[in-house]
Amino acid sequence: MQELTAQLREKAKELLDAKTVDLVIGYGPTGDNGEMTAVFARKPEDVEKLGLNGQCFRNLAVYLNKPEVRKQGKPAIVVKGCDRRALNVLIRERRLAREDLHIIGVNCDGVGEPLMGKCKFCSVHNPEECDDVLGDQIEMPAEDGQFDDVGEMEQLSGDERWKFWSEKLGECIRCYACRQVCPMCYCKRCVVEKNIPQWVETSPHLRGNLSWNVIRAFHLTGRCIGCGECERVCPMAIPIGLINKKLTKLVKEEFQFAAGMTDDEKGPFSTFDLDIDTDKGIL
Amino acid sequence: MKEPEQKLVVPNGWLEALVRKLRVQGTRVLAPVERDGAVDFREINSADEMAANYVNTRVPLKEILFPRTETILEFDQPSGGDVVFSGVEANAAPTIVIGARPCDLSAIGVLDTVFNWDYHDTFYGQRRANTTFVGVACREADGNCFCGSVAGGAGENEGSDVFVRPTADGALLEIMTERGKKLAQSIDDAAPAAGKEEPLPVAATEERFDVEKIKGWLDDHFDDDFWLDVSLKCLGCGACSYLCPTCHCFDIVDESDWRGGERRRNWDCCSFALFTLHTSGHNPRPDQQSRCRNRLMHKFKYFVERFGRRACVGCGRCIRVCGAGQNIVNVLIDITRAEAATSGSA
Amino acid sequence: MPASTDQAIDYLPYKMRVEKITEETPDVTTLKLLFDDHQQAEKFTFKAGQFGLYSVFGYGEATFCIASSPTRKGYIECSVKRAGRVTQALHSLLEGDTIGFRGPYGNCFPVDEMKGRNILFVGGGIGLAPVRSVIWNCLDRRDEFGDITICYGARTVDDLVYKEELKEWEGRDDINTIFTVDPGGETPDWSGKVGFVPTVLGEAKISSDNAVCILCGPPIMIKFTLPVLVDTHGFAKENVITTLENRMKCGVGKCGRCNVGNKYVCKDGPVFTCAEIEEMPPEY
Ligand SMILES: Cc1cc2nc3c(=O)[nH]c(=O)nc-3n(C[C@H](O)[C@H](O)[C@H](O)COP(=O)(O)OP(=O)(O)OC[C@H]3O[C@@H](n4cnc5c(N)ncnc54)[C@H](O)[C@@H]3O)c2cc1C
Ligand code: SF4
Ligand code: SF4
Ligand code: SF4
Ligand code: SF4
Ligand code: FES
């Protein structure tokens, strides 16, 4: 780990010195509990704040959408394999141009203590298409049972599911941390902020919360890369990742598609192809 | 610390008896209850339901007086452009809150100020008048608590109607207010304190920075790169403010179908970009750095200047809930260092 | 801390009826509102510069100044520019419809302190609404004030609000008027000036002697007009009075939305002198 940190700092310094990039978005320790949060190295001497360890669970891709960060100039970004998938979606959706970005990939054998759920089922330990890659290649087969929790939920009756979700979603306080942390939630004006008409009620009551959480998940269908950040940041500990996962499972079954594997993939809900889409549909 | 009106000693089991009695009388009792790993104030019927170990509740005490959403009026639209509307009663059943922490109680003082400094908010006021707070000294703090630096610390009794200091074989009760005296009448086996009782030690929350010096630095550093540095990682969500016991900003919205509906007020917060956005697109606080600055300035400067008290009580919730790892203590320590550097008194 | 109002606030509006609708411009409409309850109408008083929250039930509340003069009793008027949800709903109302109004809130223009002084009114676009309240307030007590000059500009001739009243003011010999539209906004029969308010004002003969200026309009206009008033015409910033329009929800110093530094625009304002504004952090 220390070795990786040293390599990262050296790389970052080189990029900043040569003005290849204006800032390096990476991880660094805050406080004394070893928590790794986002670090924005804008000057060569800032690279001392960068670091890498097994606690780098955050997905930094979200920062590429923030106007305040974009204003700092051309970024380099440190990504794990899963985060790299987020970049692919952003590139395919024309949010980012590949050439405007310097990608520092880190081969990753999992983060969090205990190991985060997503890491057990990960198939992208070694991020692809990066400008630099740090760390040794990792051989780690994905475990089976990625969708077991979705399956369990599907076993419940409609009434049981309704009880479960109305209890959980009833607690949502509408802080929108889930949206703000999501790399794919980049809309300038989110659907809950559109008020002519008011599509989604903004009050944190069950009716409003249901519409919000369902709409959020719908907008991420075929785009969510499963980094789990929304669920991690939810201060009310609502298992919203499970809703996304259900849709991810559907997309996999119906379209044999997983989001963010390449940057020129065609997402199921953003592509229309006369040869494939032979359904009569509504037309 | 305030001098109590009265001090009482009670034996172990006093709380169980009190809750039983209140419930028999039909009084609503709220206390910290654990559910799925989270401790929050919930209605209880028996003291057994109370969480045994908790540093503080997830949702702050403020929600009891200032709920996340509440109806403030109702309307019907019969026909012909006419509307019939009427106010609603605040849902303000007499309530006893047991197990509130000193930081949260001190935050109630902030809310009292805001909701009464000029106009008196009736919804807040009705609930406030009907709520009795039983505070309890903290025996344990976690690494994020910093009440010792900004408020009275883990043994502060101000803000409680009755303040509980646990002892080895019961508790020392400090009766702070008239409401507290009234509640004390329902406490059995209470004896006047002799003055020799030894409360168990409270959690240590040493002072980690000097709020006066921080205010001094804030006075002179509205424009400073510091704000960009601390704000880049902030995601601009509402978690820290919604769960802050002193944050009191709200939105007012109408919700209806074609027959009628209601006007509600909901928690809102200054970290959101839309909070201040004008129709023209002009935004007085156009970026996250101005929004983060406002949040900190409001707590440590503006509120102090306006009302003579800080709007942060050191509960540490904003640190616990921030998904980006923003840490107000680190920010305040950074300001302290910057202040030391400018004043040359490092 | 200013003295407490010491009143209860339950956010319950007065019930008002739309008595008359005047379409001022393609996107500005003036509503004349009467109290449904006569007792409320009799008790209601306000001062020029104060504002209120107007609501269309089901759509919500929005903030507008009271555009009519406190000297005209029994009704209030507001001029609404179509902008978003509530303003659009206000634009779809019919005469006779019910709306809610709560207020008056905020401080006011110091009309009594302006007695005996010359007054320059400067308005841009819909910014004439709060100014109009003071103008009529002063005109209804004309003897108490010195010279009165009204300088008003809009983007185009179509965008001028209160067209009938502009004509009336132009025709009076106890008022000087300067009306202007932005270059390109004139029509063949436009007899006023062509040019932006700051330019036109800079060329006009105006004395700041014993004078106050009341200045309301879009932020960009204020930004460029203020130097003209101060540097060209010699106004002290204490004598240039304007309003801030920070977004508001409660109007009564609770919801926290309108703050500029330690000031609540809804309570300490919306009326401020330019000298006061200069002391505030630039968050307006
Ligand atoms: C003291 C004061 C006096 C005002 N007087 C007048 C007046 O006389 N005539 C007039 O036409 N307008 C006036 N305004 C502006 C008016 O309040 C807004 O245009 C109106 O609230 C927009 O409401 P909406 O529901 O239609 O817009 P929304 O649908 O709520 O929002 C549309 C857009 O307007 C923004 N917005 C919402 N509320 C405000 C607000 N209060 N100020 C600025 N932007 C806002 C939103 O951020 C959004 O971008 C005044 C504002 C203030 C604070
Ligand atoms: S993070 Fe959780 S509480 Fe906040 S809006 Fe999302 S689901 Fe609701
Ligand atoms: S500090 Fe954290 S919790 Fe607060 S707005 Fe920023 S990201 Fe959200
Ligand atoms: S700012 Fe943070 S620590 Fe201070 S009172 Fe609010 S939540 Fe607690
Ligand atoms: S910090 Fe922000 S959200 Fe909290 S009370 Fe102050 S202005 Fe409101
Ligand atoms: S408008 Fe709510 S505090 Fe000023």
Side-chain angles (χ1 to χ4, degrees), chain B residues 145-149 203-209:
Chain B
C145 295
F146 61 101
C147 53
S149 307
T205 52
E206 80 280 23
E207 195 170 313
R208 292 158 80 180
F209 39 78

Side-chain angles (χ1 to χ4, degrees), chain B residues 241 244 246-249 268-271 275 285 294-296 298-299, chain C residues 255-256 259:
Chain B
S241 298
C244 171
T246 71
C247 273
H248 47 265
C249 289
D268 203 344
C269 103
C270 66
S271 301
F275 191 66
R285 290 198 278 273
N294 184 68
R295 188 165 192 278
L296 206 86
H298 189 214
K299 296 191 171 302
Chain C
C255 76
N259 83 300

Side-chain angles (χ1 to χ4, degrees), chain B residues 262-294:
Chain B
E262 56 205 15
R263 183 160 294 161
R264 291 183 159 266
R265 81 157 152 204
N266 299 331
W267 289 349
D268 203 344
C269 103
C270 66
S271 301
F272 291 140
L274 243 65
F275 191 66
T276 47
L277 182 69
H278 287 207
T279 316
S280 58
H282 170 68
N283 195 341
R285 290 198 278 273
D287 44 30
Q288 210 56 37
Q289 70 205 73
S290 50
R291 299 190 276 269
C292 287
R293 176 177 60 202
N294 184 68

Side-chain angles (χ1 to χ4, degrees), chain B residues 10 210 214 275 306 344:
Chain B
V10 284
D210 179 341
I214 287 172
F275 191 66
R306 187 84 199 198

Side-chain angles (χ1 to χ4, degrees), chain A residues 30-31 37-38 40 42 58 63 68 168 171 173-175 177 180 193 201 203-205 207 232-233 235-236, chain B residues 36 58 68 228-229 232-233 235-239 242-243 255 264 266 272 274 287-288 291 323-325 330:
Chain A
T30 35
T37 66
F40 302 84
R42 290 177 285 154
R58 292 188 162 79
Y63 289 109
E68 293 83 355
K168 293 289 179 193
E171 299 231 298
I173 52 175
R174 306 298 277 279
C175 69
Q180 295 305 99
E193 290 162 353
E201 287 174 336
S203 303
H205 46 41
R207 199 176 58 212
R232 180 183 67 77
V233 302
M236 302 307 286
Chain B
D36 294 340
R58 170 175 64 174
R68 63 188 76 174
L228 178 66
D229 291 334
L232 275 175
K233 76 159 74 130
L235 300 162
C237 69
Y242 283 8
L243 295 179
E255 291 179 346
R264 291 183 159 266
N266 299 331
F272 291 140
L274 243 65
D287 44 30
Q288 210 56 37
R291 299 190 276 269
N330 290 347

Side-chain angles (χ1 to χ4, degrees), chain C residues 247-259 264-267:
Chain C
R247 204 174 167 187
M248 295 180 181
K249 281 289 176 179
C250 71
V252 290
K254 309 270 171 258
C255 76
R257 190 170 305 257
C258 67
N259 83 300
Y264 288 98
V265 175
C266 66
K267 281 301 309 174

Side-chain angles (χ1 to χ4, degrees), chain C residues 31-104:
Chain C
L31 302 175
K32 182 176 180 184
L33 306 171
L34 298 188
F35 289 83
D36 208 49
D37 178 329
H38 295 291
Q39 282 180 335
Q40 286 174 348
E42 267 162 42
K43 271 198 265 165
F44 183 83
T45 57
F46 71 97
K47 295 199 168 97
Q50 289 194 291
F51 66 92
L53 281 113
Y54 301 71
S55 47
V56 184
F57 296 94
Y59 293 85
E61 295 186 309
T63 321
F64 311 103
C65 67
I66 304 176
S68 51
S69 165
T71 49
R72 313 283 171 96
K73 307 239 188 274
Y75 69 94
I76 56 170
E77 283 175 329
C78 65
S79 296
V80 178
K81 188 174 166 124
R82 197 188 313 119
R85 180 174 166 84
V86 178
T87 47
Q88 195 172 72
L90 284 163
H91 272 240
S92 343
L93 293 175
L94 302 175
E95 285 171 3
D97 282 354
T98 308
I99 77 165
F101 168 82
R102 54 185 184 92

